[in-house]
Amino acid sequence: MAVLLPSHTHSFTHLSLKSRPFWSQRSRNPFSNPNPSVHPSPTNPRNNISTALTLSLSHRTHNLCITFVSFGEAEETEAPNPNLLLRFSVSAVIVFLGFFGFGWARRPQLPLPALAATPLQEEIQDQSELRTAFEAWKSKTYALTVPLTIVALRGSLPPSWAKDFIQSQGKRLKLRLKYNANLEGIFSDLCMTSRKGYISPSSTLAADVVSVGDSWLNFAINKGIIEPIQGVEDQEWFKGLSDKWKVYLRRNSAGEIDSEGTIWAAPYRWGCMVIAYKKSKFQKHKLAPIEDWADLWRPELEGRISMVDSPREVVGAVLKYMGASYNTNNLDLQVAGGRIAVQKNLQLLGRQVRLFDSVNYLKAFGVGDVWVAVGWSTDVIPLAKRSSNVAVIVPKSGASLWADLWAIPASSRIDSNRIGGRVRGASPLIHQWIEFCLQAARALPFKQEVIPGASPAALESTQIEMPTELTKGKPRLDTNLIAGVPPTEILARCEFLEPLSDSTLSDYRWLISSMQKSGHGFIHRMQDRISMMIQNFWLKRTCINKQPKQ
């Protein structure tokens, strides 16, 4: 009998042929003869031996057992024919392979190897996998922490904005919000760091976004301390701005309004110049209420007025009184009577105004030293809301407009590794922050007079009266402002202050120096401001001339 057993791994582990009595049961070599004295018989074994095949197949272990049982009449002394044994062995192998193939076919089929993908298919698959991975990453708000550092003018942001923005961005936002007392301080900090060429992580120049007043915008551009906002044309917040904003904010590298220029800042709040007066004083002396700039020249108000010491606002009030524009660039050609007429009316206003001081003009008004105060709505309205005795008006002939803007400090041009990612570029959340500030929901604190000013969208939109329930229980302000916005017909006559030419700046300096008023020091302060404006202008020209040619 011959036994052929494949193992579980389908390799042969045991092979033996048993044919009594020719081989020993202990023999491992089926082709060895243990008894060399016994010679094979010449008898033809084909006539004496028949073969029976017994097959056994295990489907669980896939082990195959093949048994050859030999029957014959051969004598014990007769040796097997080697050729016959060889044929039996070959036949056994063939039969085994056949059943082995049958057993293998019954095994669970494994998937065929995929055909080699083409480069295009591999690229499409890679892109699909990357897209899937990116979508999964975006769904995890905690996957990445993105910093956003803001330096803002104190009192210019509604208290709820920071909290609402953090909630809208989730845990990935790391917001740092710092405040400065005034716009001049922010401008000074930017200039100081830029001159040193050294940026510390806490410096204003290292911030992602800073507050810049619109009257400081051209100086900031001139000094190279801010950079243009990139990609604004594709941003929803920019598309939603009115044309008036887009024209005003598009500047060239000299800071001048230019239709071919770039966008250097984004607005988040605006307001106007206003005139406040004491109602009790006017009623007691039977004076008519103030309605326009011309009322400041009334004889009964001589020495009863306080005003900011900004040259643009002081000379601008004279120009509006004379029917001209704040942005008049040629006094002799654009104003009736020329520079001499402007000078005369400016001197008359100097006798009417008791105090020119941007810091203390409201203190004099509050204690009753003066009856009229002329200043910015952000200063005047909070004071007026605390007293029912104060009325606030926007002059009928129009007033100057001011705006608080977001700008990006130009820190990337300074080689430094001390401020982390900011030196490699601004935060990717800048556009999200600007868009957040310009959303319609952000206008509510202005309408509720939580903070003075108005949303940029209100500059050219239809004015809507505030619902009574939103103002219920609050003191009623006697004003012609509607939710912080001048009436439509007056707003149409209001103007943003545009940069002046060098010749016009010289005219302003001449006008201020010609004012004769002793004891108040206002002439020196305004002369200093004019000198600074002229100095910045010439510094700008010098910087432009020193720039290498491309």
Side-chain angles (χ1 to χ4, degrees):
M1 178 178 66
V3 180
L4 183 63
L5 296 174
S7 70
H8 186 64
T9 58
H10 310 292
S11 61
F12 300 121
T13 60
H14 182 73
L15 176 64
S16 66
L17 292 175
K18 298 180 182 179
S19 182
R20 295 187 303 266
F22 303 124
W23 289 282
S24 168
Q25 195 76 11
R26 297 186 297 268
S27 176
R28 291 176 181 267
N29 188 349
F31 298 106
S32 65
N33 187 352
N35 190 357
S37 62
V38 180
H39 301 282
S41 173
T43 306
N44 187 358
R46 186 176 299 179
N47 298 326
N48 302 321
I49 299 175
S50 62
T51 303
L53 299 178
T54 303
L55 306 176
S56 175
L57 178 66
S58 172
H59 293 290
R60 290 196 178 188
T61 63
H62 309 292
N63 291 331
L64 181 66
C65 177
I66 304 176
T67 305
F68 292 90
V69 181
S70 301
F71 302 94
E73 299 176 356
E75 297 179 357
E76 292 183 358
T77 59
E78 185 176 344
N81 189 338
N83 293 333
L84 183 60
L85 290 175
L86 180 62
R87 290 181 180 180
F88 282 157
S89 299
V90 172
S91 299
V93 170
I94 293 173
V95 171
F96 167 73
L97 291 176
F99 279 96
F100 176 79
F102 172 77
W104 181 262
R106 296 292 302 273
R107 289 175 61 86
Q109 296 297 316
L110 298 175
L112 294 176
L115 297 176
T118 64
L120 178 60
Q121 291 174 331
E122 292 178 354
E123 182 177 356
I124 294 175
Q125 183 177 2
D126 291 343
Q127 291 178 353
S128 177
E129 292 175 355
L130 287 174
R131 189 179 300 109
T132 301
F134 180 66
E135 293 297 331
W137 173 82
K138 286 199 305 181
S139 65
K140 300 178 180 181
T141 58
Y142 53 84
L144 179 65
T145 298
V146 182
L148 179 66
T149 303
I150 301 172
V151 177
L153 173 65
R154 183 176 292 119
S156 66
L157 294 183
S160 61
W161 279 17
K163 179 181 178 181
D164 292 343
F165 184 68
I166 292 173
Q167 291 179 346
S168 70
Q169 294 298 314
K171 296 181 179 179
R172 67 174 182 150
L173 171 65
K174 183 180 179 181
L175 180 64
R176 294 182 60 198
L177 184 58
K178 299 185 291 185
Y179 292 98
N180 199 302
N182 51 66
L183 294 169
E184 187 174 356
I186 296 176
F187 182 85
S188 178
D189 290 346
L190 291 173
C191 292
M192 185 180 303
T193 308
S194 180
R195 286 196 302 269
K196 291 180 178 179
Y198 166 81
I199 304 177
S200 67
S202 60
S203 66
T204 302
L205 197 63
D208 296 298
V209 184
V210 298
S211 293
V212 175
D214 66 305
S215 59
W216 293 93
L217 182 60
N218 63 313
F219 300 123
I221 297 173
N222 294 339
K223 286 183 173 291
I225 58 177
I226 63 172
E227 59 188 42
I229 303 178
Q230 303 295 334
V232 294
E233 304 292 345
D234 299 327
Q235 298 297 323
E236 293 299 324
W237 65 263
F238 183 76
K239 295 177 182 178
L241 287 179
S242 65
D243 292 337
K244 193 170 185 177
W245 282 116
K246 293 177 181 179
V247 170
Y248 185 61
L249 297 175
R250 195 176 293 278
R251 309 288 179 99
N252 57 28
S253 58
E256 301 165 345
I257 295 176
D258 188 347
S259 60
E260 300 298 325
T262 55
I263 301 298
W264 292 81
Y268 67 93
R269 183 177 73 144
W270 65 278
C272 60
M273 286 292 289
V274 295
I275 302 176
Y277 62 93
K278 299 271 190 178
K279 293 190 293 184
S280 59
K281 297 292 186 181
F282 275 64
Q283 293 170 358
K284 179 180 179 179
H285 295 85
K286 299 181 181 180
L287 302 177
I290 292 180
E291 297 181 350
D292 208 350
W293 293 109
D295 292 325
L296 299 182
W297 277 261
R298 283 158 48 176
E300 60 269 23
L301 294 180
E302 181 177 350
R304 303 294 187 180
I305 303 172
S306 64
M307 190 175 185
V308 295
D309 58 14
S310 167
R312 290 298 304 269
E313 298 297 351
V314 174
V315 177
V318 175
L319 294 174
K320 294 299 289 184
Y321 167 60
M322 300 178 68
S325 168
Y326 276 94
N327 299 309
T328 300
N329 263 311
N330 193 317
L331 298 180
D332 288 327
L333 295 179
Q334 296 176 284
V335 181
R339 291 197 312 167
I340 302 302
V342 175
Q343 179 192 32
K344 180 180 178 180
N345 285 317
L346 183 59
Q347 290 176 346
L348 292 175
L349 180 62
R351 288 199 290 267
Q352 295 290 105
V353 176
R354 181 173 181 176
L355 178 65
F356 286 97
D357 192 328
S358 297
V359 176
N360 298 308
Y361 76 103
L362 287 180
K363 292 181 181 178
F365 180 73
V367 299
D369 290 342
V370 295
W371 301 348
V372 179
V374 183
W376 297 288
S377 56
T378 46
D379 296 339
V380 175
I381 290 179
L383 174 67
K385 288 174 63 177
R386 296 194 294 267
S387 174
S388 60
N389 187 36
V390 178
V392 179
I393 64 103
V394 183
K396 291 191 301 183
S397 58
S400 66
L401 299 177
W402 56 264
D404 290 333
L405 315 171
W406 293 124
I408 301 175
S411 62
S412 56
R413 63 186 177 86
I414 299 179
D415 187 16
S416 173
N417 59 359
R418 293 182 59 84
I419 57 175
R422 181 63 183 92
V423 76
R424 297 187 294 272
S427 170
L429 294 178
I430 286 179
H431 285 296
Q432 285 91 323
W433 169 252
I434 295 175
E435 185 167 349
F436 171 84
C437 295
L438 293 175
Q439 290 174 354
R442 308 285 85 77
L444 188 59
F446 297 120
K447 294 178 180 179
Q448 293 178 326
E449 299 178 352
V450 173
I451 194 167
S455 169
L459 185 61
E460 291 187 347
S461 62
T462 304
Q463 294 176 350
I464 302 176
E465 289 284 354
M466 283 295 295
T468 307
E469 57 270 17
L470 294 179
T471 58
K472 188 176 181 180
K474 297 182 179 180
R476 178 75 176 177
L477 180 62
D478 188 355
T479 180
N480 60 352
L481 290 167
I482 303 173
V485 180
T488 304
E489 64 278 5
I490 297 178
L491 181 59
R493 306 185 190 106
C494 294
E495 308 170 72
F496 282 111
L497 298 181
E498 301 175 4
L500 298 175
S501 64
D502 55 342
S503 60
T504 306
L505 287 174
S506 298
D507 289 340
Y508 271 58
R509 187 172 190 176
W510 174 76
L511 288 171
I512 298 300
S513 63
S514 66
M515 295 178 67
Q516 299 296 323
K517 191 176 182 70
S518 61
H520 300 286
F522 74 100
I523 295 178
H524 300 291
R525 285 195 299 272
M526 286 198 285
Q527 284 178 338
D528 290 341
R529 291 179 179 272
I530 291 291
S531 297
M532 185 187 68
M533 295 168 66
I534 295 175
Q535 182 181 4
N536 287 331
F537 174 81
W538 287 112
L539 178 62
K540 168 196 69 176
R541 290 299 179 89
T542 302
C543 293
I544 292 174
N545 292 334
K546 287 183 178 179
Q547 287 179 353
K549 295 182 179 180
Q550 301 296 330

